[in-house]
Amino acid sequence: MENITIFFALTAGVLSFFSPCVFPLIPAYVAHLTNGSVKDGKVNTQKSVLLSRSISFIFGFSIVFVLLGASASVVGQIFLDNKKLIQMIGGFLIIIFGLQMLGVFKIKLLMTEKRFDYSRKSKASSLKSFILGLAFGSGWTPCVGLALSSILLLASSTETIYSGMFLLWIYALGLGIPFLLLSFLVTYSLNVIKRINKVLPKLSLVNGVILIIMGFLLFTGQMEKISAYLSTFTIFKGVGL
């Protein structure tokens, strides 16, 4: 697996977390996972409970993403003889996703939204947090869907199934680490949410630009060349698979 694809997967995961569809809901996610309450400008819950439930939640959606990566890789292996064509088609679609995120296109099919119902109160547990993570991974919102679909297209062009699974694990890591950090911050103050909310539109634009660049590199076959160049530097050696 090329080093540059790992970088794109991690970046896409982080930017997916900071999408307008996901980030503003963090206090609600945390309160629901722990049966906590939003009061006095923060989420009130036990830190130990928050840690275990958040990890279970992250583990849940990570499994879904990794399985999707395996499926995409299997499809890619079937069309291995036409790998160049698959890369060009994948690159073209990723560019379309990027333009959609920038607002240049407004394709209704790509705007279809799925949300889970987090308003119902029930006794929280690590198992239910894990199941909630599975639900999140299976019914992602459009903002996550565009970035995730792009990484799945990258996974379909990898040489092995394990490479595709690893790529989606990196994506899940990029989505999960900020969630874990922010879930603890909101137990101290919700001001961080308000501040970051102000720059979310700009982050969405950054995500769109990154997808377009990634799609162009994949379409033109330059991604492998750039990775080969980066691998000549010591700092990048041994990073890929």
Side-chain angles (χ1 to χ4, degrees):
M1 184 186 301
E2 294 84 359
N3 301 307
I4 193 169
T5 59
I6 296 176
F7 167 77
F8 276 126
L10 183 63
T11 303
V14 172
L15 290 175
S16 292
F17 173 80
F18 288 103
S19 68
C21 307
V22 175
F23 182 76
L25 298 177
I26 295 304
Y29 277 96
V30 174
H32 183 78
L33 288 173
T34 62
N35 268 356
S37 61
V38 179
K39 186 178 179 181
D40 299 327
K42 63 181 181 179
V43 177
N44 295 278
T45 187
Q46 294 182 0
K47 302 296 189 299
S48 58
V49 173
L50 175 60
L51 178 61
S52 62
R53 304 284 167 77
S54 295
I55 291 177
S56 296
F57 178 76
I58 293 169
F59 186 58
F61 69 67
S62 296
I63 286 180
V64 174
F65 294 156
V66 169
L67 291 177
L68 287 173
S71 300
S73 299
V74 169
V75 173
Q77 294 301 306
I78 294 175
F79 298 99
L80 189 61
D81 293 337
N82 298 305
K83 184 178 179 180
K84 182 63 177 179
L85 177 62
I86 297 299
Q87 287 182 341
M88 292 182 67
I89 294 175
F92 176 76
L93 290 175
I94 292 174
I95 292 174
I96 296 297
F97 294 160
L99 292 173
Q100 172 86 6
M101 193 164 289
L102 288 176
V104 177
F105 294 151
K106 295 186 180 297
I107 304 174
K108 292 184 178 180
L109 180 63
L110 299 180
M111 298 174 69
T112 302
E113 184 170 1
K114 296 180 180 179
R115 295 178 183 269
F116 68 89
D117 183 10
Y118 58 84
S119 60
R120 292 180 299 175
K121 283 289 183 178
S122 60
K123 188 176 180 180
S125 66
S126 294
L127 177 59
K128 289 186 177 180
S129 298
F130 172 75
I131 294 174
L132 193 63
L134 292 176
F136 173 80
S138 302
W140 56 82
T141 54
C143 294
V144 175
L146 291 174
L148 177 59
S149 297
S150 300
I151 302 303
L152 286 173
L153 288 170
L154 278 182
S156 67
S157 66
T158 56
E159 295 182 356
T160 67
I161 295 176
Y162 296 110
S163 294
M165 294 172 66
F166 179 75
L167 198 61
L168 268 295
W169 181 80
I170 292 295
Y171 172 83
L173 195 65
L175 187 61
I177 291 178
F179 176 85
L180 189 61
L181 294 176
L182 263 295
S183 64
F184 274 93
L185 287 179
V186 297
T187 62
Y188 293 98
S189 175
L190 294 176
N191 287 333
V192 63
I193 300 291
K194 297 178 181 178
R195 293 175 182 175
I196 298 179
N197 270 334
K198 296 179 180 179
V199 299
L200 284 186
K202 295 181 180 179
L203 291 176
S204 182
L205 293 177
V206 170
N207 203 354
V209 171
I210 289 177
L211 290 185
I212 292 174
I213 293 174
M214 181 170 63
F216 178 78
L217 292 176
L218 188 63
F219 182 83
T220 59
Q222 296 300 311
M223 190 170 289
E224 293 182 1
K225 294 181 181 179
I226 293 176
S227 179
Y229 173 73
L230 291 176
S231 65
T232 61
F233 296 93
T234 304
I235 188 173
F236 293 104
K237 289 182 178 180
V239 176
L241 293 181

